Amino acid sequence: MLTSPYENGDRCSGGLAMTGARESTEAFEAIMSDVDPPSYVVTAAAGDDRAGCLVGFATQCSIDPPRFGVWLSKLNRTYRVARTSRTLIVHLLRDDDGDLAGHFGGETGDDVDKFAGIDWSSGPGGCPVVERLDWFAGSVVDQVDTGDHVAFVLAPWGGRCQRSGRQLSEAELGDIEPGHPIPGR
Ligand SMILES: Cc1cc2nc3c(=O)[nH]c(=O)nc-3n(C[C@H](O)[C@H](O)[C@H](O)COP(=O)(O)O)c2cc1C
């Protein structure tokens, strides 16, 4: 059972037929509730400000040139820092990283320093690199307002991939109360 706060409604029962119901988002919501995306920690830096949060809305979106999209909620501190950040860092969470998921998804940098007490260093563009995780950097080549989240389109470069283990999927995260409210709820 998915526990993501981004989950909408019941899982698909296999019996939902919505032909002709163009205005309804029921089928969309049922299908999305069956999708189990990977989990990332995305960090940003602008001047002396640094930020980072748990992200499920993220995907490769071009092969040539290589591009990766990260969607940040307008409510999050990470979004506010990312607005003027020329680089973002995308870290992949693996199956033993549940503690970091809770830390970066359940706390907001508006209230706590998320980088106190974890092993990190300053990476490309001054963005924090969480030492335990695999990561790549990306230059922000576009920002697209898609609604309550903004897409940051990244041109990837650099990074590190040294770990093994499965990705940590959203379904495995358990109940994380997001540090900032979920848009629309
Ligand atoms: C499962 C899960 C997925 C999330 N996905 C996203 C996401 O894709 N984009 C986003 O901006 N926030 C997402 N969040 C919410 C932020 O991680 C959370 O509100 C965080 O506390 C914000 O921290 P900040 O204010 O320091 O940026 C997600 C939270 C959870 C629990």
Side-chain angles (χ1 to χ4, degrees), residues 54 93 97-107 168 173 175-177:
L54 178 66
L93 293 178
D97 295 326
D99 56 333
L100 288 175
H103 181 70
F104 279 95
E107 306 276 3
L168 182 66
L173 291 181
D175 281 328
I176 299 174
E177 185 65 30

Side-chain angles (χ1 to χ4, degrees), residues 15 22 26 30 34 41-42 45 61-62 70 79 88-89 94 100 103 115 128 133 142 147 155 157 166-168 173 180:
R22 286 196 186 165
E26 251 183 82
D34 273 348
V41 168
V42 174
C61 51
S62 172
V70 167
Y79 163 74
L88 298 181
I89 290 183
R94 298 199 189 268
L100 288 175
H103 181 70
F115 300 98
L133 304 176
D142 206 355
W157 58 278
R166 286 186 300 107
Q167 67 180 41
L168 182 66
L173 291 181
H180 267 291

Side-chain angles (χ1 to χ4, degrees), residues 3-6 39 51-58 71-80 101 103-110 114 149 170 173 176-181:
T3 52
S4 163
Y6 285 70
S39 306
C53 72
L54 178 66
V55 164
F57 290 173
W71 278 257
L72 295 175
S73 165
K74 293 173 182 173
L75 299 178
N76 290 349
R77 179 166 190 278
T78 305
Y79 163 74
R80 297 197 298 274
H103 181 70
F104 279 95
E107 306 276 3
T108 170
D110 287 334
K114 292 191 192 178
H149 286 62
E170 241 179 56
L173 291 181
I176 299 174
E177 185 65 30
H180 267 291

Side-chain angles (χ1 to χ4, degrees), residues 10-16 30 34:
D10 297 332
R11 289 170 74 80
C12 185
S13 63
L16 190 61
D34 273 348

